[in-house]
Amino acid sequence: MDKTETLPRDTIMPLRGLKNRLSGRLVLGAASVATVILAYVWITNLPNNNPALLPPIRDIVGAFFTNVASGNLATALGASLFRVIMGFFIGTSLAVLIGCLIGWYKVAEYLFDPLIEAVRPIPPLAYIPIIIIWFGIGEFSRILIITIACFMVCVVNVIAGMKNVPQVYVDAASTMGATRLQVFRTVAVPAATPFIITGYRIALGAAWTTLVASELIAAQNGLGFLLQEGRRYFLTDQVMMIIVIIGACAFLMDRAFRKIQARLMVWSEARE
Amino acid sequence: MSEIVVDNLTHTFGKGSASPLTVLDGINLKLESGSFNAIVGTSGCGKSTLLKMMAGLFDPSDGQMTLDGEVIQGTDRRRGMVFQQDAVFPWMTVARNVSYGPRLRGASRAEQAEIEEKWIRMVGLTGFEDRWPRELSGGMRKRVDIGRVYANDPDVLLMDEPFGALDAQTKERMQSDLLETWSATRKTVVFVTHDLEEAIFLADKIIVMSARPGRVHHIEEVSLPRPRTNDMRLTDDFLAIKRRLWAMLEH
């Protein structure tokens, strides 16, 4: 039985033209970023610009080197990254665990779903005061806030992923003799992976948002602390520099995540 | 031996509710071991429902079905099913899909490789072992699906309009290939379709169902010789059966 409708291999995935489109996209993206930077340079060079409000780029770069030299930046970055990664890791791990149970097992859904739905609309930052009252302003409190934020945004995606597993895959596995647990492991989890990864990426964004907020309110170190210090001593160049650093960190981590996503999702039609 | 007996089976959706809907009413059937059976009928005659019950995906509200005397309850690997929709797992390569069933039961790497090689060859996909389903055409994915079910070695093959979404030429080729595989293995097949030509070409026995509620209207024994070839589709005998069944579905 060798009469398939065989396709030549190179027509299976038409890749021609993709390279051109990618470079066009890169050029446009670079152009838009460059325009914003040039506009900033132009404004800061106007005769009546107040450098205390809009510091010129050389001052921002200067603040960067000063803080690198003093070691302040490395310390702050280390402290903040530690919090983000801890909160992200704990929050998303719990979200995947609990989300899978809620999305797959009716009993777990009936038990936990009302709770999650009730708590979901509360912005994680609203917990800051009560967490400070209960646990003080230590490291634990800051990581806890980030954990809550990551958990809440991620768990919703995991649940949605488990609920959107196409029934035909479940039926196919069952008729091939898969037990309920095997269906969960070999069908539901992989089928939900695209949703779960999206959950991770949103959680990463949430981690950075809550990190800065929690450090602005209560911290003796970290990037949020340097921002706060910059405001207090009117070091606008330092504030600007930290904003750029946070943006760069979040961007790089998201990029790394996309790489992981692309690798995990080679099988998917929609990999981006 | 793998004989299916349907005994006075009735199914009502929303039983006990204000508007219950009886989709199957008093079905009695005996499908012999190793035979190729087709179920035809207009939409709404409950043919897919009947097939899903044979798979054990849900239970009838009344009556029962047996496979070799054992009451059918719940899914079992002895009753494999090919679905109308695309059921190939997109997160597994062609080879991994085909060896999915044996892997569930802890087949060794070597056993899996052997099964993959055999069934990928049987369904004509040699060379595509490491491809992702998204890289294949609809017809090729159906081949993966059929290979996967066969590789799981069920006693009965339940097929729910598996070729419904394919173009005419691909469909004809898939039908011939399916017959070839069937004669090599002689598993009992129950094939649901609304395409009369497909049913006549494939089956030994055609069960014609009427709709609302679904009942067995007629059973046609197809006496066309085997192996069936494509030129038979235009013979007088073939067309006579087609005309007769057509009239019944119109009635």
Side-chain angles (χ1 to χ4, degrees):
Chain A
M1 204 157 82
D2 59 335
K3 45 248 159 150
T4 28
E5 54 280 36
T6 315
L7 297 165
R9 290 215 164 179
D10 54 341
T11 62
I12 292 175
M13 271 197 305
L15 280 170
R16 208 176 314 155
L18 188 65
K19 262 215 158 91
N20 288 334
R21 260 181 287 136
L22 269 180
S23 63
R25 191 174 162 179
L26 224 62
V27 168
L28 286 177
S32 96
V33 172
T35 308
V36 171
I37 293 175
L38 281 175
Y40 188 84
V41 170
W42 178 67
I43 293 170
T44 49
N45 277 312
L46 289 177
N48 53 353
N49 177 55
N50 179 356
L53 294 181
L54 283 180
I57 286 186
R58 62 176 173 282
D59 287 3
I60 298 173
V61 174
F64 174 73
F65 285 114
T66 316
N67 279 286
V68 168
S70 68
N72 283 349
L73 188 60
T75 314
L77 200 58
S80 291
L81 277 177
F82 175 74
R83 288 162 197 156
V84 163
I85 290 169
M86 287 296 285
F88 174 76
F89 183 76
I90 302 170
T92 51
S93 302
L94 286 174
V96 168
L97 200 75
I98 295 174
C100 281
L101 291 177
I102 294 177
W104 194 244
Y105 294 102
K106 281 275 173 272
V107 181
E109 181 184 352
Y110 298 155
L111 269 174
F112 296 115
D113 205 42
L115 267 176
I116 292 203
E117 283 305 309
V119 169
R120 200 159 67 94
I122 305 171
L125 300 184
Y127 298 113
I128 290 178
I130 194 70
I131 287 174
I132 290 176
I133 290 172
W134 285 346
F135 305 109
I137 53 167
E139 199 64 15
F140 179 79
S141 295
R142 282 186 290 272
I143 292 175
L144 182 59
I145 293 163
I146 298 168
T147 303
I148 293 173
C150 290
F151 175 80
M152 291 315 294
V153 293
C154 190
V155 78
V156 179
N157 271 278
V158 178
I159 294 172
M162 297 304 284
K163 285 192 177 287
N164 277 293
V165 175
Q167 187 61 37
V168 69
Y169 296 154
V170 176
D171 287 348
S174 315
T175 51
M176 279 185 280
T179 62
R180 184 103 175 112
L181 188 66
Q182 281 176 322
V183 175
F184 175 74
R185 203 167 46 79
T186 63
V187 174
V189 173
T193 318
F195 282 84
I196 296 175
I197 292 180
T198 305
Y200 272 110
R201 280 182 62 193
I202 300 175
L204 195 58
W208 281 99
T209 314
T210 28
L211 166 88
V212 175
S214 71
E215 285 180 344
L216 279 177
I217 291 162
Q220 291 80 43
N221 56 13
L223 294 170
F225 173 76
L226 285 188
L227 277 177
Q228 188 73 334
E229 185 190 65
R231 182 192 64 85
R232 210 176 292 141
Y233 301 110
F234 233 111
L235 304 169
T236 320
D237 45 7
Q238 180 173 320
V239 172
M240 289 289 200
M241 183 268 290
I242 298 294
I243 290 174
V244 173
I245 295 282
I246 291 172
C249 283
F251 175 80
L252 287 177
M253 283 177 87
D254 190 60
R255 270 295 138 127
F257 226 93
R258 278 200 207 193
K259 282 249 152 51
I260 299 171
Q261 179 173 25
R263 182 157 302 175
L264 280 174
M265 307 269 57
V266 274
W267 54 268
S268 172
E269 308 255 3
R271 272 160 299 160
E272 272 301 298
Chain B
M1 270 296 287
S2 42
E3 181 188 69
I4 299 178
V5 176
V6 181
D7 185 16
N8 203 20
L9 182 126
T10 295
H11 190 68
T12 308
F13 283 117
K15 207 177 182 184
S17 76
S19 53
L21 180 70
T22 301
V23 284
L24 292 169
D25 186 22
I27 309 281
N28 287 294
L29 287 172
K30 188 172 168 184
L31 310 177
E32 280 144 45
S33 182
S35 63
F36 200 122
N37 307 276
I39 304 180
V40 298
T42 48
S43 53
C45 71
K47 53 191 192 296
S48 281
T49 307
L50 185 62
L51 198 74
K52 281 182 182 150
M53 282 178 182
M54 287 180 181
L57 289 169
F58 55 97
D59 296 333
S61 36
D62 227 327
Q64 64 175 30
M65 284 189 261
T66 56
L67 173 58
D68 292 341
E70 248 175 81
V71 176
I72 290 174
Q73 214 167 23
T75 51
D76 190 300
R77 63 165 292 219
R78 291 185 62 196
R79 287 169 272 118
M81 180 145 176
V82 179
F83 296 82
Q84 195 175 355
Q85 307 101 302
D86 187 357
V88 175
F89 300 143
W91 56 87
M92 288 181 193
T93 60
V94 168
R96 300 281 290 172
N97 261 291
V98 168
S99 55
Y100 175 78
R103 201 160 49 249
L104 287 176
R105 286 178 296 283
S108 72
R109 212 32 254 171
E111 288 166 324
Q112 287 177 44
E114 194 181 315
I115 288 166
E116 285 164 7
E117 198 278 325
K118 175 182 176 187
W119 285 105
I120 288 172
R121 180 165 40 79
M122 287 290 273
V123 296
L125 287 176
T126 306
F128 290 89
E129 292 82 355
D130 299 325
R131 292 280 169 179
W132 297 105
R134 69 177 160 85
E135 299 172 303
L136 307 181
S137 67
M140 291 162 92
R141 279 207 290 268
K142 218 67 233 180
R143 286 172 187 276
V144 177
D145 209 338
I146 292 170
R148 181 174 69 175
V149 173
Y150 264 111
N152 198 35
D153 197 24
D155 296 337
V156 178
L157 214 65
L158 308 167
M159 306 183 98
D160 187 7
E161 300 195 40
F163 308 145
L166 304 179
D167 64 81
Q169 272 117 5
T170 309
K171 194 173 178 174
E172 281 192 9
R173 193 182 289 164
M174 298 285 285
Q175 289 166 355
S176 302
D177 289 357
L178 175 65
L179 279 188
E180 215 172 294
T181 314
W182 172 74
S183 19
T185 55
R186 282 286 165 171
K187 291 183 189 301
T188 313
V189 175
V190 187
F191 191 106
V192 162
T193 179
H194 60 255
D195 180 342
L196 285 178
E197 185 175 316
E198 182 168 62
I200 301 164
F201 183 73
L202 294 172
D204 299 315
K205 185 191 265 186
I206 300 174
I207 296 130
V208 183
M209 291 183 66
S210 59
R212 280 176 275 273
R215 289 198 175 105
V216 176
H217 179 74
H218 170 78
I219 293 178
E220 178 84 23
E221 302 282 347
V222 182
S223 51
L224 297 170
R226 290 191 189 273
R228 306 260 166 95
T229 51
N230 271 323
D231 45 27
M232 282 185 195
R233 294 176 196 263
L234 295 171
T235 59
D236 291 339
D237 288 350
F238 194 102
L239 293 172
I241 302 173
K242 191 171 175 183
R243 221 172 281 126
R244 192 160 61 243
L245 298 185
W246 186 254
M248 279 177 211
L249 289 181
E250 289 274 279
H251 72 121

